[in-house]
Structures are given as structure tokens and as C-alpha cells.
Amino acid sequence: MLFFTQCFGAVLDLIHLRFQHYKAKRVFSAAGQLVCVVNPTHSLKYAPARCAAAQTSVEQGILPPCHHHEAVHDPQLIPCTCPLFSCPWEGHLEVVVSHLRQTHRINILQGAEIVFLATDMHLPAPTDWIIMHSCLGHQFLLVLRKQEKHEGHPQFFATMMLIGTPTQADNFTYRLELNRNQRRLKWEATPRSVLECVDSVISDGDCLVLNTSLAQLFADNGSLAIGIAITTSKVHNAEAEI
């Protein structure tokens, strides 16, 4: 009976996931956009001290030092950039993507325009929805977080982070778009580098911010679809032409 109950639950979860994906494809297939159904995960870490240290290092133009008990520290090592977990991993920026995929099982989509479909928006804060987006020869980390900045008033924060340096991030522009029931909402900005810490970006409010009422206007049966597009910045294009 226990085996049957567990299998039956797994089948129901699979059916629910397939149904959500079918609905998303039905809505966005006409636009030729790839759809990624993203399930929520309760954040298991809140480490402002670590983020503050990383932010200070970025502002000073250096990367955070390694914290392992070794005789020689490698100044090029950076901490894990996944905002979900208090992960002790450290490594070079070039291997961050493989770490996120292999260790934290974060999905990655490729394409100029994709749709990020976050399910189960009703879950209590703090909750995160995360995917990676491969575009224009770089990888980006999209984070949607439900968090209470004031007790009893949860908000949704969505931002795009480049898995690269702040200088590289300045070469791109990302757009997040919500479109439902004859309503459209867009956020366009330069992505921030993962070296700057997702928590800091959300605290600063330099991202798409939705209160619960506004999010519900664009939600469909507890799911929120966010269209994502990434382009090279105009300044970068002009420099290339010169």
C-alpha cells in the first residue's frame, strides 16, 4: 500500500506538470516561444553577511577569497551563486554553470525569447523559482522570489543575472513581460552580475516588483507566465559599428 501510494502521488505530480506545460504551450506557441515550467522551491538560506562580503569585493574590483582551511588562498575563487541554498562550494566563474546544473539541478533553456512559467504562486514566502537562460553566447540566471519585505505583505521580485562579470553584464539588456487579460506590463533593464548577489538586487528593488494584487491580475490558476527576451545593449552595438 505504501509503494502504491508513493507511485500514485508521483503520477499525479507528473500529470499536473504536463497539464501546466500544455496550457503554457497553447498560449505561447503562436509566438514561437519556448516554455519552461518552473516549480517553486523554499529558500533554505539567508546569508546577508556572505552577500555583503561578496558585494564589497565586487565594488573594490576583486573577487571574494577562498574560505577553505588551506595554506594558500586562491583570490579567483567565488562562492556558489545559487540563491536557494547555503552551499559551501567555491570555484572559478567559468565552472559556475556546470555546478548549478549538476549540483542544484537548475534547468537551462536556449533561445532568444522564452517563457518562464512559475507554478503554485500561492505558497507562503520565502519561495524561489529559478532557471538559467542561454542566449547570445552567455548564460543568465532568472530568479523570481516571493518574499515579505513587510510582515504580512508578500511581494514578487523578478531579476536577471549574468553569469559573468559586471563589465560583461553592461553589454546586455533584458526584458521581462507579463501579458494577460488585455493587460501588459514590461520591465527592461541591464542585468546585474551574479558576483553582486541576488539578495542585494532584491533589497535594492532594482528589479521587477509585483505586489500580490498585481500578480493576481496576470496569474492563471495559480501560475505566472513571464516572457523573457535578451538583447545586446545599444551602447555595445554602437561601439561595435565604430
Side-chain angles (χ1 to χ4, degrees):
M1 285 295 295
L2 180 61
F3 176 77
F4 175 77
T5 302
Q6 292 177 339
C7 289
F8 185 68
V11 170
L12 286 180
D13 290 341
L14 180 60
I15 292 175
H16 175 71
L17 182 63
R18 294 284 294 179
F19 178 68
Q20 293 284 356
H21 189 264
Y22 170 75
K23 289 199 306 179
K25 288 187 67 176
R26 184 182 60 188
V27 174
F28 295 102
S29 59
Q33 294 173 306
L34 298 174
V35 178
C36 182
V37 179
V38 185
N39 293 320
T41 304
H42 285 285
S43 183
L44 301 178
K45 78 149 190 176
Y46 272 96
R50 182 180 183 181
C51 287
Q55 178 66 24
T56 301
S57 298
V58 171
E59 292 174 352
Q60 294 176 351
I62 60 175
L63 296 177
C66 175
H67 298 291
H68 293 308
H69 299 289
E70 299 175 352
V72 179
H73 298 297
D74 186 347
Q76 299 301 316
L77 293 180
I78 62 172
C80 175
T81 58
C82 182
L84 289 175
F85 306 101
S86 183
C87 177
W89 179 89
E90 289 181 326
H92 293 274
L93 188 60
E94 293 78 9
V95 295
V96 167
V97 173
S98 61
H99 169 73
L100 293 177
R101 297 197 67 182
Q102 296 172 11
T103 303
H104 300 300
R105 307 298 182 189
I106 296 179
N107 294 327
I108 185 168
L109 277 186
Q110 297 185 6
E113 296 186 10
I114 65 174
V115 176
F116 177 96
L117 184 67
T119 66
D120 300 322
M121 293 174 52
H122 61 277
L123 291 178
T127 303
D128 288 333
W129 294 259
I130 298 177
I131 63 166
M132 283 191 292
H133 182 188
S134 179
C135 182
L136 300 175
H138 289 77
Q139 283 72 41
F140 301 81
L141 191 68
L142 177 70
V143 179
L144 172 65
R145 174 173 296 172
K146 185 177 183 181
Q147 179 175 314
E148 290 186 0
K149 299 196 79 171
H150 305 286
E151 187 175 355
H153 299 281
Q155 294 178 296
F156 293 87
F157 303 86
T159 187
M160 182 74 77
M161 312 285 289
L162 173 71
I163 302 179
T165 66
T167 301
Q168 291 174 321
D170 289 339
N171 293 328
F172 299 95
T173 299
Y174 75 94
R175 184 181 74 246
L176 305 180
E177 181 175 335
L178 304 175
N179 190 356
R180 186 172 181 269
N181 291 337
Q182 298 181 337
R183 299 180 180 89
R184 177 173 295 181
L185 180 64
K186 290 184 180 181
W187 167 267
E188 187 170 289
T190 299
R192 302 278 284 271
S193 165
V194 291
L195 301 178
E196 300 180 58
C197 188
V198 174
D199 294 336
S200 298
V201 175
I202 291 177
S203 298
D204 295 341
D206 186 17
C207 56
L208 174 64
V209 182
L210 306 171
N211 60 32
T212 304
S213 299
L214 187 58
Q216 289 298 331
L217 290 177
F218 294 96
D220 181 15
N221 293 326
S223 297
L224 186 67
I226 304 177
I228 307 169
I230 301 176
T231 58
T232 54
S233 64
K234 295 180 180 179
V235 174
H236 180 63
N237 288 336
E239 291 177 350
E241 291 176 1
I242 294 175

